[in-house]
Structure formats: C-alpha cells, structure tokens
Amino acid sequence: MPLMMSEEGFENDESDYHTLPRARITRRKRGLEWFVCGGWKFLCTSCCDWLINVCQRKKELKARTVWLGCPEKCEEKHPRNSIKNQKYNVFTFIPGVLYEQFKFFLNLYFLVVSCSQFVPALKIGYLYTYWAPLGFVLAVTIAREAIDEFRRFQRDKEMNSQLYSKLTVRGKVQVQSSDIQVGDLIIVEKNQRIPSDMVFLRTSEKAGSCFIRTDQLDGETDWKLKVAVSCTQRLPALGDLFSISAYVYAQKPQLDIHSFEGTFTRVGLLDLELNQLTKALFLALVVLSVVMVTLQGFAGPWYRNLFRFLLLFSYIIPISLRVNLDMGKAAYGWMIMKDENIPGTVVRTSTIPEELGRLVYLLTDKTGTLTQNEMVFKRLHLGTVSYGTDTMDEIQSHVLNSYLQVHSQASGHNPSSAPLRRSQSSTPKVKKSVSSRIHEAVKAIALCHNVTPVYEARAGVTGETEFAEADQDFSDENRTYQASSPDEVALVRWTESVGLTLVSRDLTSMQLKTPSGQVLTYCILQMFPFTSESKRMGIIVRDESTAEITFYMKGADVAMSTIVQYNDWLEEECGNMAREGLRTLVVAKRTLTEEQYQDFESRYSQAKLSIHDRTLKVAAVVESLEREMELLCLTGVEDQLQADVRPTLEMLRNAGIKIWMLTGDKLETATCIAKSSHLVSRTQDIHVFRPVTNRGEAHLELNAFRRKHDCALVISGDSLEVCLRYYEHELVELACQCPAVVCCRCSPTQKAHIVTLLRQHTRKRTCAIGDGGNDVSMIQAADCGIGIEGKEGKQASLAADFSITQFRHIGRLLMVHGRNSYKRSAALGQFVMHRGLIISTMQAVFSSVFYFASVPLYQGFLMVGYATIYTMFPVFSLVLDQDVKPEMAILYPELYKDLTKGRSLSFKTFLIWVLISIYQGGILMYGALVLFEAEFVHVVAISFTALILTELLMVALTIRTWHWLMVVAEFLSLGCYVASLAFLNEYFGIGRVSFGAFLDVAFITTVTFLWKVSAITVVSCLPLYVLKYLKRKLSPPSYSKLSS
C-alpha cells in the first residue's frame, strides 16, 4: 500500500525545534490605573472566555486509543477533518459583522445619534437624514463581508473536496478529505498531499521504506526516508490489515511545531489612526455644544438644548467616512488584481491594502520564497584546475576516456591489473594526471551520498500488485532520484550528466553505470550520515570487481579542513565560491586494506554496544579513520534563486525596509543564500551568533555582538530561545539596528514569536511572506501577510492577506500599490472630515447669529444630498489620484521611506484641515449674510450653492494627477446640483419659518446673485490655491523634484 503517514509522525523522533518561551511579563498595574489602562478589556475578555467554555463544555485533553480500520470504536467524538478559514457561520454572521462595525467609535456614535431621533424633544430633522446614511454604510459593509466570506467558503470547499482512497473490508472507496475519520485506513498515492495526521503502516516497497516531504511543516521540499511499522509491513497482502486486531495508543494533543494559531480579523493602522482622530472630533463637538449652551446663559431646559446642539453639529463626525474608506479599499484591491505587471495576485483581505505603504520590517521565508529549492551543480575545483558550467564537456570527455581504458584492460588476460587498482596502490608522491584526478573525484561524488534512484511502475499496473519490481521500467528516462537533501540529488544528477550514473541502491549495495554501459557494483560496508554537529557524512564501500575498500567522506570546509592532507588552496577557493553564493562541499577519500577495515569494524561494533558514553565512543572510532585523507575536489552547488530576487531585495533595502530571513534550514545554507541573494550586501560583515546554552554564555555573546557595527546577524533558533529567555529587550534592540538578520533552524512557533516581538518592541509595521504551511503562523502574526503560491502548496496563500505568484512581485505591490493605497486613503479620509467640518462650522455661525438657537441651517434632502450626489463622486474620485507615476516609484524606491513616517495622515495634517474648514465655513456663512443682507430670505440657497462650489474646487485643489473620470465626476456633481434646484425649493428655507417661495429662479439667474456667490467662493478658495503654489515653489516635496 502506498504512503500512509502523517507529517507529524515523521518528525517526532528527530525534531530539532523547540517552542519559544513567552516574553517576560511587565510590571503589573494596580487599582484604578490597571482598570483604565486596559483592565476593563481583560475583565470583559475573561468573562467571554468563561461563557464560551461553559457553553462549549470543553473536555480535558487526554491520550487516545485508535483502532485500525474501526472508526466506530472511538470512545470520544473527534472533530471533522476539514479546513475552515471562515470567520462566521449562518448564525454568527450578522451579529459578528455588526459587532466589528460598532466597536469603532465612529459608527457607534452615529447609531446613538440616529436612535435619538425617535425622541420627539430631540428630533431636529427627518428620520431618513440619519438612518439612510447609516443603513447604507451597514449595507455596503455587510455586502463586502458576505462576498469575502463566500470566497473563503469556496476556497475551503475546494480543499475539503479532494478525493482519497479509503480501504474497507469490501475494497477501496473514494472519500472526500473532510469525511476522513479517526481510525480510517487511507491509501495515499504518489505525489498526493497527506490529508491529516496519519501513521505509516505499509508501502509497496519490500523494505518498507518511503520518501516523504515535510514542506508543510518545516518548509523543506527535500525528500526524507521513513520506514513503515514492521508488523504491518510484513503482512502478505493489503487486505490482511483487517485480519489483525490492532490499535494505536496516542499521547494527548501537544502544542508543537505542527500546530499554528487560527485566523483573526485584521485592522489596519490607518483605521486606528482615523478612529483616534474621530475621538478628537467628538471632543471638539462636545466643547462646541457646551460653548453654545454657555453663551445662551443656560436658559430654559439647557440639557435638552445641549443634546440638540450635539445633534446639530454631528456632521463634524462624518458617517460617510467609513463607507468611503471601505469602498476605496475595495477599489484598491480591484486595481491590484487587475495589474498586468503582477499577474495572478489575489487580495484576500480587502480591509488593509494601505498597510502595504507603511512597512518597515519584511520577514521572509527562504525555501520556495527567495529560492526555488532547485540545486544546480556549478563548479568543480581540483586545486590546480577549475571547471564551470561552460567546461563540463571536458569532464565528460575525461570520464569517458578513463572508463574506456579500464574496460579495455579489464577485458585482457589479467583483470586485476586495472589502472584503478594500480593508481591507488601507488605512492601519493607520484603526481597524478588531470584525467585520473577527475575520474576519482567523479567516482567519489557518485558513491558518497544517501540518494536512491526510483523508477515508475509501467502503465496499466494496478495498485493491487504487491512488490512488482518486474513491472518497473529501469530506463534512464523513467529514473528519478530521492534523497534527504536536494544538494545530494544535484550532485548525483551531475555525475549522470558526465557519464557515471547511479542505477540502483538498497541498504547493502549500489550500482553505477559507466559511459560504455558497464555496470559497476559496490557493497556498502558502513554508512555515516550527515549531522548538524559533525557537518560531514561518510561511506565505506567495497568494489566487487577489485575487492578494494575505500572510505569516502564529504562535508563542510570547516569540518574537512583538519581531516584532509595539507594543501594551500582549499580555504581560499571555499571563500571564493561562498562569495558567489555557492554551497561548497569538500570531497576526500582514504583507501583501506582488508586488515585495516576488519580492525575498524571490530572496534566500531564494540563501541556501538557500549552502555556508557556510547555516542562519544562511536565518534572516536570513526574519527580514527578521518586522518590524512586524500583531498579529491571541492564542489559548488547553487540553490537557484527566484526570478529577480536580487534586484527586488535591493529595491526593498533602498526603500528603507529591513529584511529578516527566518528559515528552518541549516546555518551554513541560510548564510549562503543570504549572500547569494544580496540580502547581505558585499560590503557588509556577517556576525554569526555562537551557540549559547545558558545565561552567562548569552551575556558574553551579546556583548561581543554589541561591539560590531553595520553587520548582518546570523543566529540559530536554539540560541535565540536562550537569549529571549534572559535578554529579550537587549537582543531585539541590537537586532533592529542590523541592516539584515538571518534566523536559521526556526520552528513555525518561533517565526510567529519573532514577528510578535518586533511589533511589540518597535511599534512599526511588519510584513511576513512565505509559501508553505510552516509559514502560516508567521503570516498571521504580522500586520500584513503575503503568501506565494508555490511548490509547497496553497496553505500560506490561502491564509495570507495578499497572494502573489512570484517574490519579485512584492516590489511593485509595495512601491506602487502600497504607496497609492496609503496616500489615497489618507487624502480621502481627511477630505471627508473636512466636508463634515465645514458644514458644521456654517451651522455654528448661523446659530450664533440667531441668538444661539438650536435650529438647523439645512435639513431634509439637502443634508443627505450634500454627502452623496452633490459631492460623493468628486471626493471618491481621489482613489484615482497619484503623486508619482508607477515607473518613478519603482525607479526611486527611496520615496517609500517618507510613507513609513506617517506624515500623510497625522495630527498635524488633521489640524491643517480643521483650520481650513473653520476658515471656509466662516467665510461662506458670513459672506452670505453680509453680501445678501437685502435678500436675506435666500440665504440658504446662497450659502449652500457657494458650499457646493467650494467643495468641488477643493477636490480640484487636492488632486495631484488628473484622470478623465475625475473631470466627469466634477461636472456630473455640478449638473446634479443645478438640476435639483428646481425640485428642492421647499428645503431652501430657514428653520421651520415659512417665507413663501424660498427659491426664486429669476433671482438666482441674475448677475448680482452669480457674481456675489462667485465672490464668496473665490474668497474661500483662492488663498488656499495661492498657499499651495507657494509651498510647491519654496518647499517642494521630494517626488515633485524627481518628476520635474
């Protein structure tokens, strides 16, 4: 039966990862201070959690007994095996959406104001003037959330509907992934994703071995060799699994690297900033209302008048702010997905596109994100001669000639006199030819590895046939290689390309095919696998044709330099290759006599039987062989980078974004990719944080790191854990000063913890990008998550806010769309506030003139139309504005640095707009009262017309780059207003006093009316145009200098 195993089970016995401890708890606040500073939130959350626990009646987690093939025997009820990224269900959708909306002060305020209109004493206008805008806002929000939720439902349904073969007593049946139950026997075919946590029972290979990938756990796409449970593997047939009575006793669920936290609702920084400004506006509203009541002298029922003033000035806080921003964000998302320069980009969270313009830290995965995880052999160095990709044909020629000589002499009368045997028995002082050195190096690379060739079954062979080697095709075209490291596969593929092919391998032997077609058989005597401590691997083989025993070893230069014979080129060439971004391996050999090997084997076997210090004794015996080994060659393998990774990282660095690489890979590999991708520039030093295990070592190493300047930091997950336990603040502070940081051997939990620490300590915006299931926790912990659809599946893509197809697309996503989304949202939000402030200022002036009466200046459809058809289209057209052309934003990424300072939306810019609103509102109202004193009955029509013209001109003043739709919006709104004058004459009156016909068409067409309204409008707008012109001349923004 093909692979049946959970990725959890694979790693249980060899996990290198540990979870990070929680950050140190800060000093607790007491009493009232604690309650005001967030204690009330804690109490509410605790109560809610208690209620949820009571309602759900959570059971205590405990160990489980699972019977093979018998789900009905399960003692407890298990959850469904389904993926769910949805935030709501049918019952919680409406309450959940309403809660998300009314938790913002802005919407909660308008709900209270709208409800107050049901009280007759407080009613100051028509009900629809309050409830219609609020209902429209909620309708738009609910519709948007419903669309997002439906898309999430469709994505979940696609994942949960994948079919798998389930083994039953009656045979195989097809079941959906979501219908798999605990205890089912599932047949997982080749190249099929594992649907749940599973136990590996049986495979079609005789030895019970199978290669699996754990890319959804640790991001590594290399194959790992695992072995099935022996008792079930030995069963004669697949159906015999039902003839045995067996169960699996599993420990209780644990929080380990195979778990990650669930989704949560994201709120952008701009939304939080606007929420703070809304609270400031509310404070201004209260102060203004209190001032009005005070100037009234608190006459009559002053508290009722106070509430009426609060309602009159309620437009200071514009309800249209939320709907404009939400519609704007939807427009930004649509623009991103329609951008032909970044095809395949998907916006999964439509609430935070402006976050792309505020990022300071980018935390990226390595495998599959920066690299393709496809290794290519690039360089072979023999000490005196070096071969690159353009001279590989020379190596192929040397190998061909060497084996032709061997074959010709082996076909003679004395096979034992082959050149191979003689050359290896000659003294080391004899200088070997280049051809023989290449031959020995290629043979060493072809033998020293853990690669296994795999062949596809012939077409038409069913899965019922057990162990059908006879039905396999052993041709070169049908062969694939599987190994625990992609570097290993790259080396074996290279030896195949130059003529020496690995054709078969099992636990005791391997076979190589020469260019002439001859098959050489080697017996595997001993195997010493690679470990992170030894940094090398070795193998002892016996050539079946010559009975010669050879010990081959390859490893990192730091481990091999003391093992090989003295030379003067290894260190220098390793440095040269590393600077090119190549992953280097040193290859060496030692020929053993039969007596030497027998002596070693006896000592090795005895060491393995030791009860005390077994590991040390075994290592000591192996090291006795690792002396004065003959240096054969130095290899250079390149992990191919994603397209345009180097220029993209350079662009992000110039934009002021600090890049941290978090990977589960080895330190050497991570450092190599950091160099080759130019994550670390050529001029920067790299400080490798030495392994630390206790507080004292961490203190010393941090002090050593503190003395370094302008250098990148490379630190392992274990050392990071120790430092965070004792010196969390110090480490984060030092790391944030580095131009780049590389964290290797990181578990998914550590990745998420690092993101959380950065957010807490720096208060800067973070972005996480990855492509595997092991990156999901990091993506969800960041302010902005970006997923790449790659070889590691779609988990990261589905869980992220934005999904892209290539890493290089992040450059345009941030520099162009991030910039535009943030700039446009800031301008749109502040202009909508200005629109509410200016009309509230006019109301305040009007009430002051009429002895502080709480009488509305405009009512009915005028108030509704002011925020909708009269000004909505021009104001919303600001989502098309741009200060810099896309080509310029990409060419000069330094412009992005200004965005991270938050200057486009701050209390400074907010106060400027407040002053502009007060000035314009005062001019419009006082101008209407002064210039039209004789025609006072028409003051509403006069002031409202000037107000609409002023708003249209202010939109034109705000726009930096005109779009044809902006011009259409301006004239459309003006046309709508002019056309509506004939139908709204009953609204152009003062309060509830009847003056007869308030709209005299003959009056508004007179030259006097036109020039006086024009004069008021010019006085309100012309000074602002002059100030804008002077500012651009005297202190132009950085982007205007470039565009000029």
Side-chain angles (χ1 to χ4, degrees):
M1 185 173 69
L3 175 65
M4 294 191 300
M5 179 61 185
S6 74
E7 292 171 337
E8 179 180 7
F10 296 150
E11 298 299 319
N12 277 346
D13 59 341
E14 50 182 321
S15 174
D16 297 317
Y17 307 127
H18 307 280
T19 56
L20 276 176
R22 294 189 177 273
R24 290 176 294 179
I25 301 173
T26 54
R27 179 183 62 87
R28 295 188 177 183
K29 299 180 176 66
R30 299 292 181 184
L32 182 62
E33 181 190 5
W34 172 82
F35 186 82
V36 172
C37 294
W40 64 276
K41 287 186 178 180
F42 173 77
L43 290 175
C44 293
T45 305
S46 301
C47 293
C48 291
D49 290 342
W50 179 79
L51 287 172
I52 291 172
N53 289 331
V54 170
C55 295
Q56 293 182 346
R57 294 181 180 177
K58 288 186 178 180
K59 297 180 179 178
E60 182 182 355
L61 297 176
K62 58 183 181 180
R64 296 147 292 168
T65 300
V66 180
W67 290 86
L68 266 62
C70 302
E72 64 278 1
K73 287 189 178 181
C74 290
E75 299 175 355
E76 57 180 309
K77 186 178 180 181
H78 297 282
R80 294 185 67 215
N81 185 49
S82 60
I83 295 173
K84 184 179 180 183
N85 287 308
Q86 295 169 252
K87 294 195 292 185
Y88 311 104
N89 57 35
V90 176
F91 302 103
T92 62
F93 177 73
I94 295 297
V97 172
L98 292 178
Y99 169 75
E100 290 295 330
Q101 288 305 303
F102 291 123
K103 74 179 183 181
F104 284 101
F105 178 79
L106 175 68
N107 291 346
L108 182 61
Y109 168 76
F110 266 96
L111 178 64
V112 174
V113 169
S114 300
C115 291
S116 71
Q117 294 305 288
F118 290 110
V119 180
L122 302 177
K123 187 176 181 181
I124 61 172
Y126 300 99
L127 280 176
Y128 70 82
T129 60
Y130 290 93
W131 281 101
L134 182 62
F136 179 69
V137 169
L138 293 178
V140 170
T141 302
I142 291 173
R144 188 198 68 203
E145 282 291 335
I147 293 172
D148 286 348
E149 190 72 1
F150 181 69
R151 288 174 178 168
R152 283 190 285 267
F153 168 76
Q154 286 183 315
R155 293 197 299 268
D156 292 344
K157 185 178 179 181
E158 178 185 354
M159 298 295 294
N160 294 326
S161 300
Q162 293 182 3
L163 294 178
Y164 289 85
S165 296
K166 175 182 173 180
L167 190 64
T168 66
V169 178
R170 300 178 185 86
K172 295 181 184 177
V173 294
Q174 294 288 313
V175 295
Q176 292 186 351
S177 173
S178 58
D179 294 330
I180 294 176
Q181 297 179 328
V182 174
D184 282 343
L185 296 179
I186 304 297
I187 300 177
V188 183
E189 306 290 348
K190 182 175 181 180
N191 294 327
Q192 194 175 26
R193 283 284 173 193
I194 296 171
S196 63
D197 291 343
M198 306 177 80
V199 177
F200 185 17
L201 298 178
R202 188 175 177 82
T203 176
S204 56
E205 293 289 329
K206 278 194 303 184
S209 60
C210 188
F211 286 90
I212 59 95
R213 281 198 341 201
T214 59
D215 49 7
Q216 294 290 357
L217 298 179
D218 53 25
E220 297 184 4
T221 57
D222 52 296
W223 297 95
K224 295 178 174 60
L225 178 64
K226 299 297 169 183
V227 181
V229 177
S230 58
C231 59
T232 52
Q233 177 66 30
R234 288 195 299 266
L235 293 174
L238 200 60
D240 292 334
L241 287 170
F242 290 98
S243 65
I244 62 173
S245 179
Y247 64 86
V248 174
Y249 181 77
Q251 64 177 12
K252 68 178 183 180
Q254 301 286 334
L255 179 63
D256 53 18
I257 84 163
H258 313 288
S259 305
F260 55 84
E261 298 176 31
T263 57
F264 55 91
T265 306
R266 295 180 184 272
V267 178
L269 178 61
L270 185 129
D271 291 316
L272 298 176
E273 291 172 340
L274 286 173
N275 200 46
Q276 294 298 324
L277 296 181
T278 303
K279 294 176 181 178
L281 289 175
F282 177 74
L283 182 61
L285 167 64
V286 173
V287 170
L288 182 59
S289 302
V290 170
V291 168
M292 285 295 183
V293 173
T294 304
L295 293 175
Q296 271 186 336
F298 292 96
W302 63 269
Y303 51 87
R304 190 181 69 181
N305 291 336
L306 175 63
F307 205 95
R308 286 178 63 85
F309 275 122
L310 287 172
L311 296 175
L312 281 176
F313 300 141
S314 62
Y315 276 87
I316 286 180
I317 305 174
I319 191 172
S320 57
L321 177 61
R322 291 296 314 170
V323 69
N324 274 279
L325 286 176
D326 289 344
M327 291 172 63
K329 291 175 180 181
Y332 307 147
W334 183 83
M335 294 175 190
I336 291 172
M337 291 190 286
K338 292 298 180 182
D339 190 341
E340 296 179 353
N341 294 295
I342 47 175
T345 302
V346 179
V347 179
R348 303 200 188 279
T349 304
S350 59
T351 56
I352 58 167
E354 70 281 348
E355 289 290 278
L356 296 171
R358 308 286 298 276
L359 302 178
V360 177
Y361 290 95
L362 176 68
L363 300 103
T364 175
D365 179 39
K366 178 188 72 69
T367 309
T369 304
L370 297 180
T371 69
Q372 301 179 28
N373 204 33
E374 292 181 0
M375 308 301 169
V376 178
F377 191 94
K378 287 288 187 181
R379 187 73 54 82
L380 179 71
H381 205 294
L382 301 177
T384 56
V385 61
S386 175
Y387 295 93
T389 52
D390 53 344
T391 55
M392 291 300 175
D393 54 337
E394 295 183 25
I395 297 178
Q396 189 174 7
S397 176
H398 284 302
V399 173
L400 178 61
N401 293 334
S402 297
Y403 278 104
L404 284 176
Q405 293 176 12
V406 171
H407 184 64
S408 62
Q409 295 203 17
S411 61
H413 296 288
N414 187 10
S416 63
S417 62
L420 272 176
R421 179 71 180 263
R422 291 205 311 267
S423 66
Q424 290 165 347
S425 61
S426 60
T427 59
K429 295 182 180 179
V430 177
K431 188 173 182 180
K432 299 177 182 177
S433 66
V434 172
S435 181
S436 66
R437 291 169 62 195
I438 290 176
H439 170 239
E440 290 180 8
V442 173
K443 185 172 71 168
I445 296 171
L447 288 171
C448 188
H449 53 72
N450 62 1
V451 180
T452 302
V454 178
Y455 298 90
E456 296 283 349
R458 287 179 182 174
V461 178
T462 63
E464 296 294 334
T465 305
E466 296 269 339
F467 316 131
E469 282 97 345
D471 294 314
Q472 290 183 340
D473 181 5
F474 288 94
S475 63
D476 290 347
E477 297 78 14
N478 195 43
R479 183 190 309 111
T480 57
Y481 295 113
Q482 292 182 343
S484 61
S485 170
D487 300 65
E488 299 272 71
V489 176
L491 292 171
V492 173
R493 280 180 179 160
W494 175 77
T495 63
E496 179 183 3
S497 69
V498 296
L500 196 57
T501 306
L502 175 68
V503 291
S504 70
R505 177 178 183 153
D506 55 32
L507 297 177
T508 59
S509 67
M510 71 174 78
Q511 291 181 324
L512 303 179
K513 187 171 70 174
T514 66
S516 60
Q518 180 186 8
V519 176
L520 305 176
T521 302
Y522 294 87
C523 179
I524 301 175
L525 301 178
Q526 298 290 346
M527 187 79 181
F528 312 111
F530 178 91
T531 64
S532 56
E533 292 78 21
S534 67
K535 296 182 173 58
R536 57 188 180 271
M537 72 153 293
I539 187 172
I540 301 178
V541 296
R542 176 188 282 120
D543 189 340
E544 293 291 338
S545 62
T546 64
E548 185 176 70
I549 301 175
T550 310
F551 174 38
Y552 292 105
M553 178 164 281
K554 69 179 180 187
D557 57 303
V558 292
M560 298 291 292
S561 58
T562 58
I563 295 174
V564 298
Q565 296 171 350
Y566 173 78
N567 63 86
D568 57 358
W569 61 271
L570 181 60
E571 183 178 355
E572 180 182 356
E573 292 304 326
C574 283
N576 292 337
M577 288 191 186
R579 281 187 285 275
E580 295 178 31
L582 301 180
R583 302 162 73 151
T584 57
L585 282 175
V586 180
V587 184
K589 77 164 189 176
R590 179 181 175 185
T591 304
L592 303 176
T593 64
E594 186 68 33
E595 294 77 15
Q596 287 176 326
Y597 174 70
Q598 293 299 333
D599 175 63
F600 165 78
E601 186 182 31
S602 63
R603 290 187 291 115
Y604 187 66
S605 300
Q606 187 176 359
K608 288 197 294 184
L609 296 175
S610 300
I611 299 176
H612 303 291
D613 300 327
R614 178 185 301 174
T615 304
L616 293 176
K617 291 179 179 179
V618 168
V621 173
V622 175
E623 286 177 5
S624 67
L625 287 181
E626 301 171 348
R627 293 173 184 171
E628 291 297 308
M629 297 188 71
E630 180 184 349
L631 175 59
L632 297 178
C633 65
L634 175 66
T635 64
V637 175
E638 180 184 48
D639 186 355
Q640 288 192 311
L641 297 173
Q642 296 276 1
D644 295 330
V645 160
R646 292 188 182 102
T648 301
L649 289 177
E650 186 73 21
M651 178 195 301
L652 297 175
R653 220 176 15 247
N654 292 337
I657 298 175
K658 293 186 177 182
I659 306 167
W660 290 32
M661 184 170 77
L662 312 180
T663 177
D665 218 329
K666 300 185 293 290
L667 186 143
E668 295 81 7
T669 307
T671 306
C672 186
I673 293 301
K675 291 178 180 177
S676 63
S677 65
H678 294 175
L679 175 67
V680 178
S681 65
R682 293 179 180 271
T683 59
Q684 288 174 348
D685 292 330
I686 294 181
H687 177 81
V688 179
F689 206 89
R690 291 187 302 175
V692 295
T693 56
N694 54 57
R695 183 168 188 163
E697 293 177 355
H699 180 76
L700 292 174
E701 189 60 22
L702 281 172
N703 284 340
F705 177 45
R706 194 186 301 274
R707 291 191 288 269
K708 299 291 183 70
H709 299 285
D710 191 35
C711 68
L713 172 65
V714 179
I715 186 171
S716 67
D718 293 337
S719 299
L720 180 70
E721 177 186 350
V722 174
C723 291
L724 290 178
R725 184 181 303 142
Y726 301 111
Y727 300 105
E728 177 184 293
H729 179 77
E730 292 81 357
L731 177 65
V732 176
E733 183 181 7
L734 289 173
C736 289
Q737 296 172 4
C738 296
V741 176
V742 177
C743 297
C744 57
R745 301 310 262 170
C746 277
S747 69
T749 309
Q750 284 179 316
K751 290 183 178 182
H753 193 80
I754 292 169
V755 174
T756 305
L757 284 177
L758 270 181
R759 293 179 60 190
Q760 292 175 347
H761 282 266
T762 65
R763 303 294 179 184
K764 303 291 185 182
R765 311 312 282 174
T766 60
C767 174
I769 179 170
D771 69 320
N774 62 312
D775 301 317
V776 170
S777 54
M778 172 178 72
I779 287 172
Q780 293 186 337
D783 297 298
C784 176
I786 300 177
I788 299 179
E789 288 193 14
K791 297 180 180 179
E792 300 183 24
K794 293 185 177 181
Q795 281 196 12
S797 168
L798 295 175
D801 303 306
F802 304 91
S803 172
I804 58 179
T805 56
Q806 297 183 48
F807 181 81
R808 63 190 176 96
H809 291 168
I810 195 176
R812 185 176 180 87
L813 190 64
L814 268 57
M815 299 302 114
V816 177
H817 294 289
R819 179 185 189 85
N820 289 340
S821 299
Y822 172 56
K823 286 273 190 177
R824 290 165 176 172
S825 290
L828 182 62
Q830 292 180 121
F831 200 93
V832 171
M833 288 183 179
H834 158 76
R835 189 172 63 183
L837 281 166
I838 190 173
I839 199 169
S840 298
T841 303
M842 295 176 70
Q843 176 67 58
V845 173
F846 175 79
S847 296
S848 301
V849 171
F850 282 90
Y851 307 102
F852 309 104
S854 56
V855 177
L857 173 59
Y858 309 122
Q859 46 182 330
F861 189 79
L862 289 186
M863 294 303 294
V864 176
Y866 171 67
T868 54
I869 63 170
Y870 295 155
T871 60
M872 181 179 70
F873 299 117
V875 172
F876 189 71
S877 69
L878 291 173
V879 301
L880 301 172
D881 191 21
Q882 62 180 26
D883 58 345
V884 176
K885 292 183 179 179
E887 299 79 13
M888 195 72 67
I890 293 176
L891 186 61
Y892 297 101
E894 292 80 6
L895 294 172
Y896 189 89
K897 293 180 182 179
D898 292 336
L899 305 181
T900 60
K901 299 173 183 176
R903 293 175 177 172
S904 297
L905 179 64
S906 62
F907 270 101
K908 179 182 176 181
T909 58
F910 170 68
L911 289 175
I912 291 174
W913 277 105
V914 169
L915 294 176
I916 291 173
S917 304
I918 293 174
Y919 166 75
Q920 289 185 324
I923 290 294
L924 291 174
M925 201 64 236
Y926 276 115
L929 293 173
V930 172
L931 294 180
F932 293 92
E933 189 175 359
E935 300 90 6
F936 189 71
V937 69
H938 301 292
V939 69
V940 173
I942 295 162
S943 60
F944 197 77
T945 303
L947 173 63
I948 297 299
L949 292 176
T950 297
E951 283 299 290
L952 297 181
L953 289 174
M954 284 300 295
V955 171
L957 176 66
T958 305
I959 291 173
R960 288 159 293 203
T961 305
W962 282 89
H963 189 279
W964 67 270
L965 285 175
M966 295 175 172
V967 180
V968 171
E970 289 272 335
F971 285 102
L972 178 64
S973 295
L974 183 61
C976 288
Y977 176 67
V978 173
S980 66
L981 288 175
F983 306 102
L984 302 176
N985 60 331
E986 74 269 21
Y987 292 118
F988 286 90
I990 303 173
R992 302 181 183 277
V993 185
S994 177
F995 290 99
F998 300 115
L999 188 64
D1000 188 346
V1001 178
F1003 170 70
I1004 66 171
T1005 55
T1006 61
V1007 176
T1008 303
F1009 175 82
L1010 293 177
W1011 83 259
K1012 288 186 176 181
V1013 168
S1014 300
I1016 295 173
T1017 306
V1018 168
V1019 173
S1020 69
C1021 293
L1022 184 60
L1024 300 178
Y1025 272 83
V1026 173
L1027 289 174
K1028 180 180 179 180
Y1029 174 79
L1030 292 176
K1031 182 181 179 182
R1032 289 185 66 88
K1033 282 293 182 183
L1034 300 177
S1035 179
S1038 54
Y1039 60 83
S1040 65
K1041 299 174 186 176
L1042 295 174
S1043 57
S1044 61

